[in-house]
């Protein structure tokens, strides 16, 4: 046996833990490390921004169940991806951050990019540590990967000073490594399952809410069987879409506000009663609603409201036991009951309202007609990535999902800038597991601005992602061309231009000129249709469609504001 340095020990340890993808930006002191990853068969994807690298790494973790790795340089490199770490931690997605750091003998005397990175990371992690020696690197890697996947998934950070990566030790000094393939599964208390079934069977207005926790848990088979056996109505949270198909006759997504506010029993599966579900409180929920909660994390039980039944369990076994109980008792909710009649009527009323908006092809376009005509041309079961305010929210309703883990968006943390990083991860996933599947990334113009240079990353790695910018010339909304011109007449633009206004009809498609290619500038539905058809033929890199819509286009009238208001 010879000697081996820290770079090779780390790369090998990651490979032994099943890590397949590393996203990052090479620089001091991790340039050699990035090359080592490739020599051990790990895919290294060089990004243009640390935040985007972090978003891509966490998305691949969500899609595969194995943590993606984000590799960053010291100091500012790590700080730039803190937002991504927080997003993964709040989303409960497995992620491992590898941070290069200042050499240990330079600490405390003003070393290059010296920064207390272990402590800075700790608030956004499940585990944050610096291996004290090269020989102990595999031990810390195993723990970090295991913790990132265990229980409620999340983020782990490992810190590597430059001198530690370069230091060589004998192979004999490195303890044997191990890999835990089957992590513990939490099964529910049978009494809780029986109590939940008793409450469900007696409900007059039941509702099932499916969250992205159910999608991550790969519980689609069990949940589809539960809905099929019971005929219960269900709603999906944004990334819970597709666990049960959006086209299911039991989906009441078009009656979301009514369903939540009138249900007397809600079965919450892999979703949290946070702002996305209005904390489970009145008036968005009935004052006396009974919540049945299935949650892997004990600390989340009874959070915000007291649940009638709080089931600590992994989603799959809990739902399977509910299915078994339903079959044993022969329970099925009667679809002729008043509850279903009210839900169906509301769904139909809202469908017609959206249909009228979607059929209005007058220029400037609105969101609904753009999404409607895009959706008509997309191949089945694309992975849809979306971010932006109305772009994301309206797109959620207009671009349905039939399969789980086929929608990625701003998530629980509401993070803007995730889109292109998520799309890169989705394209890599497709490349390996579903090579004929397409990734469509739908961005608001403001959201696109956060990470637009990742178009170059897509081109470099020949990722056939269709990027569609729905351009309303602003944040939430802009102004028309004439008004924009008038606002720019003066000299003091920092006071005259409204804070939500962006450049009018900016030609984002021109970014494709960087690669000697052309993008698409669309103002009419025929423009959009022609562009989508052309882009779906591209197999060797990204495409970019810039769709100009009315700066004042908005979502249809809402029963409630999308965000529950605070009151002092």
């Amino acid at each position: 046996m010879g000697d081996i340095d820290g770079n090779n020990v780390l790369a090998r340890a990651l490979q032994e833990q099943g890590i397949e993808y590393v996203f990052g930006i090479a620089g001091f002191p991790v340039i050699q490390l990035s090359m080592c990853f490739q020599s051990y068969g790990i895919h290294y994807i060089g990004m243009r921004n640390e935040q985007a690298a972090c978003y891509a790494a966490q998305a691949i973790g969500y899609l595969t169940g194995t943590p993606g790795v984000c590799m960053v340089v010291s100091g500012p490199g790590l700080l730039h991806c803190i937002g991504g770490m927080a997003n993964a931690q709040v989303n409960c997605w497995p992620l491992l951050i590898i941070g290069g750091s200042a050499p240990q003998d330079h600490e405390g005397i003003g070393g290059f990019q010296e920064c207390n990175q272990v402590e800075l990371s700790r608030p956004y992690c499940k585990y944050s540590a610096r291996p004290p020696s090269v020989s102990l690197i595999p031990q810390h890697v195993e723990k970090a990967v295991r913790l990132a996947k265990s229980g409620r998934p999340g983020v782990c950070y490992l810190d590597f000073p430059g001198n530690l990566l370069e230091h060589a030790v004998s192979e004999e000094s490195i303890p044997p490594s191990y890999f835990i393939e089957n992590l513990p599964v939490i099964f529910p208390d049978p009494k809780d399952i029986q109590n939940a079934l008793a409450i469900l069977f007696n409900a007059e207005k039941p509702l099932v809410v499916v969250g992205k926790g159910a999608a991550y848990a790969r519980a689609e088979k069990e949940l589809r069987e539960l809905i099929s056996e019971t005929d219960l109505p269900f709603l999906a949270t944004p990334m819970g879409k597709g666990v049960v198909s959006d086209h299911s006759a039991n989906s009441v997504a078009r009656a979301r506000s009514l369903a939540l506010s009138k249900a007397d029993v809600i079965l919450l599966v892999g979703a949290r009663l946070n702002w996305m579900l209005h904390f489970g409180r009145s008036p968005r929920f009935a004052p006396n609603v009974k919540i049945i909660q299935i949650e892997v994390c004990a600390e989340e039980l009874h959070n915000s409201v007291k649940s009638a039944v709080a089931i600590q369990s992994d989603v799959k076994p809990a739902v399977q036991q509910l299915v078994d109980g339903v079959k044993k008792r022969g329970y099925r909710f009667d679809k002729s009951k008043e509850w279903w009649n009210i839900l169906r009527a509301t769904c139909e009323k809202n469908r017609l309202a959206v249909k009228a908006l979607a059929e209005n092809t007058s220029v400037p376009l609105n969101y609904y007609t753009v999404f409607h005509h895009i959706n008509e041309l997309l191949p089945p079961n694309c992975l849809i990535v979306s971010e932006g305010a109305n772009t994301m929210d309206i797109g959620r309703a207009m671009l349905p999902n039939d399969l789980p883990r086929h929608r990625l968006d701003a998530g629980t943390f509401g993070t803007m800038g995730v889109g292109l990083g998520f799309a890169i991860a989705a394209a890599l996933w497709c490349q390996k597991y579903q090579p004929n599947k397409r990734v469509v990334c739908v961005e608001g113009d403001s959201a696109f601005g956060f990470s637009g240079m990742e178009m170059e990353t897509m081109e470099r790695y020949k990722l056939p992602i269709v990027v569609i910018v729905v351009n309303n010339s602003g944040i939430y909304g802009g102004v028309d061309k004439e008004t924009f011109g008038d606002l720019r007449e003066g000299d003091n633009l920092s006071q005259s231009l409204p804070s939500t206004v962006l450049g009018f009809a900016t030609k984002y498609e021109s970014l494709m000129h960087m690669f000697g290619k052309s993008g698409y500038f669309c103002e009419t539905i025929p423009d959009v249709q022609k562009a989508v058809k052309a882009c779906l033929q591209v197999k060797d890199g990204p495409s970019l469609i810039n769709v100009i819509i009315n700066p004042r286009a908005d979502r249809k009238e809402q029963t409630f504001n999308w965000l529950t208001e605070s009151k002092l």
Side-chain angles (χ1 to χ4, degrees):
M1 287 190 177
D3 289 346
I4 185 170
D5 67 11
N7 285 304
N8 279 278
V9 171
L10 175 53
R12 187 173 69 184
L14 291 170
Q15 186 265 338
E16 289 172 343
Q17 295 303 318
I19 299 300
E20 294 185 90
Y21 296 95
V22 176
F23 303 82
I25 296 179
F28 177 82
V30 290
I31 295 174
Q32 188 63 39
L33 177 62
S34 63
M35 297 176 184
C36 283
F37 290 144
Q38 294 173 313
S39 69
Y40 281 89
I42 296 172
H43 300 284
Y44 177 79
I45 298 90
M47 306 285 284
R48 299 303 299 267
N49 177 279
E50 286 94 353
Q51 279 193 347
C54 197
Y55 297 141
Q58 63 194 257
I60 206 75
Y62 172 67
L63 291 169
T64 65
T66 297
V69 172
C70 178
M71 182 201 76
V72 295
V73 301
S74 51
L78 174 68
L79 289 169
H80 288 169
C81 78
I82 290 289
M85 295 167 69
N87 188 71
Q89 186 72 355
V90 174
N91 262 356
C92 309
W93 287 359
L95 170 67
L96 174 59
I97 306 291
I98 298 292
S101 59
Q104 290 161 299
D105 56 330
H106 292 181
E107 290 179 351
I109 56 173
F112 175 69
Q113 296 183 335
E114 181 185 347
C115 192
N116 192 344
Q117 296 174 193
V118 173
E119 292 305 314
L120 280 169
S121 301
R122 205 177 299 281
Y124 312 102
C125 291
K126 296 178 71 174
Y127 177 65
S128 180
R130 171 190 287 180
S133 68
V134 172
S135 298
L136 291 177
I137 287 175
Q139 173 185 314
H140 284 268
V141 168
E142 186 281 326
K143 183 175 181 179
V145 172
R146 175 166 43 85
L147 292 185
K149 296 188 294 183
S150 298
R152 174 181 278 182
V155 185
C156 292
Y157 173 72
L158 292 178
D159 191 67
F160 293 93
N163 60 320
L164 183 70
L165 292 173
E166 294 173 357
H167 184 63
V169 299
S170 68
E171 285 268 17
E172 295 174 342
S173 70
I174 301 173
S177 61
Y178 58 89
F179 171 61
I180 306 300
E181 187 170 2
N182 298 313
L183 296 171
V185 176
I186 300 174
F187 280 75
D189 186 326
K191 291 183 294 184
D192 290 337
I193 295 294
Q194 295 308 311
N195 290 338
L197 289 170
I199 291 173
L200 268 179
F201 293 165
N202 289 308
E204 290 294 322
K205 300 177 181 178
L207 179 68
V208 179
V209 176
V210 181
K212 71 172 174 290
Y216 181 81
R218 276 64 177 166
E220 52 267 22
K221 174 182 175 292
E222 292 78 8
L223 271 160
R224 289 180 180 217
E225 189 175 10
L226 178 69
I227 298 301
S228 174
E229 289 290 332
T230 61
D231 257 340
L232 291 170
F234 78 91
L235 289 172
T237 64
M239 279 187 276
K241 282 163 57 69
V243 174
V244 184
S245 171
D246 284 345
H247 290 110
S248 166
N250 291 66
S251 172
V252 292
R254 293 194 186 278
R256 183 181 190 273
S257 293
L258 181 137
L260 290 175
S261 64
K262 300 298 182 183
D264 62 353
V265 172
I266 293 178
L267 173 61
L268 198 66
V269 186
R272 290 168 282 176
L273 292 176
N274 53 25
W275 67 273
M276 297 184 81
L277 286 173
H278 315 288
F279 314 108
R281 297 176 182 174
S282 178
R284 304 300 292 266
F285 285 64
N288 298 317
V289 64
K290 294 179 179 178
I291 303 289
I292 301 168
Q293 203 176 0
I294 299 175
E295 169 62 51
V296 72
C297 178
E299 288 81 0
E300 190 64 36
L301 298 171
H302 305 293
N303 195 25
S304 186
V305 297
K306 183 179 180 181
S307 297
V309 184
I311 305 172
Q312 186 191 7
S313 174
D314 280 271
V315 171
K316 281 172 70 78
V319 176
Q320 185 60 60
Q321 290 188 25
L322 288 175
V323 170
D324 294 343
V326 164
K327 288 180 175 180
K328 185 176 181 180
R329 304 204 196 172
Y331 168 81
R332 182 176 290 273
F333 188 70
D334 188 352
K335 269 199 166 182
S336 67
K337 282 193 172 184
E338 182 185 10
W339 179 229
W340 258 119
N341 292 333
I342 293 171
L343 291 171
R344 277 193 291 257
T346 304
C347 284
E348 180 62 12
K349 175 185 173 183
N350 288 333
R351 185 190 71 81
L352 292 173
V354 168
K355 183 173 182 285
L357 289 165
E359 291 177 347
N360 176 10
T361 59
S362 61
V363 176
L365 300 171
N366 70 70
Y367 287 103
Y368 294 89
T369 192
V370 169
F371 285 127
H372 170 70
H373 287 89
I374 289 172
N375 187 58
E376 284 191 324
L377 296 173
L378 294 182
N381 298 318
C382 293
L383 271 80
I384 305 294
V385 179
S386 185
E387 64 170 330
N390 289 342
T391 301
M392 181 175 64
D393 294 339
I394 298 171
R396 181 184 308 137
M398 299 299 293
L399 300 173
N401 295 100
D402 287 323
L403 296 176
R405 299 171 297 282
H406 277 57
R407 178 182 167 87
L408 302 170
D409 70 19
T412 312
F413 210 38
T415 307
M416 288 296 100
V418 298
L420 274 66
F422 281 5
I424 288 167
L428 291 166
W429 181 87
C430 289
Q431 202 174 67
K432 179 170 182 179
Y433 297 100
Q434 298 280 343
N436 295 321
K437 201 179 284 284
R438 296 307 299 266
V439 176
V440 179
C441 180
V442 186
E443 299 274 298
D445 51 324
S446 171
F448 181 73
F450 280 79
S451 54
M453 277 305 297
E454 298 303 336
M455 293 295 299
E456 189 275 329
T457 306
M458 297 176 186
E459 174 69 15
R460 193 173 356 122
Y461 290 99
K462 296 183 179 181
L463 300 176
I465 299 164
V466 180
V467 179
I468 303 173
V469 179
V470 183
N471 187 348
N472 69 351
S473 303
I475 303 169
Y476 300 108
V479 294
D480 59 54
K481 184 176 183 179
E482 183 178 346
T483 304
F484 183 69
D486 291 342
L487 287 169
R488 297 183 76 223
E489 284 295 319
D491 295 325
N492 196 356
L493 297 181
S494 60
Q495 290 190 324
S496 63
L497 276 177
S499 60
T500 58
V501 167
L502 299 174
F504 179 78
T506 300
K507 295 196 171 184
Y508 297 107
E509 78 286 353
S510 298
L511 284 173
M512 294 302 294
H513 295 167
M514 296 188 297
F515 322 123
K517 299 180 179 180
S518 297
Y520 297 86
F521 183 85
C522 303
E523 295 182 284
T524 68
I525 289 304
D527 290 344
V528 173
Q529 293 170 324
K530 180 180 177 181
V532 172
K533 290 176 183 177
C535 292
L536 288 173
Q537 300 304 311
V538 177
K539 307 294 185 182
D540 62 347
S543 306
L544 181 54
I545 303 172
N546 184 18
V547 184
I548 307 304
I549 67 167
N550 190 330
R552 292 302 177 191
D554 203 353
R555 68 189 81 188
K556 72 178 182 64
E557 187 176 344
Q558 303 291 299
T559 305
F560 290 98
N561 291 330
W562 69 273
L563 184 64
T564 299
E565 295 180 354
S566 299
K567 295 179 181 178
L568 293 176

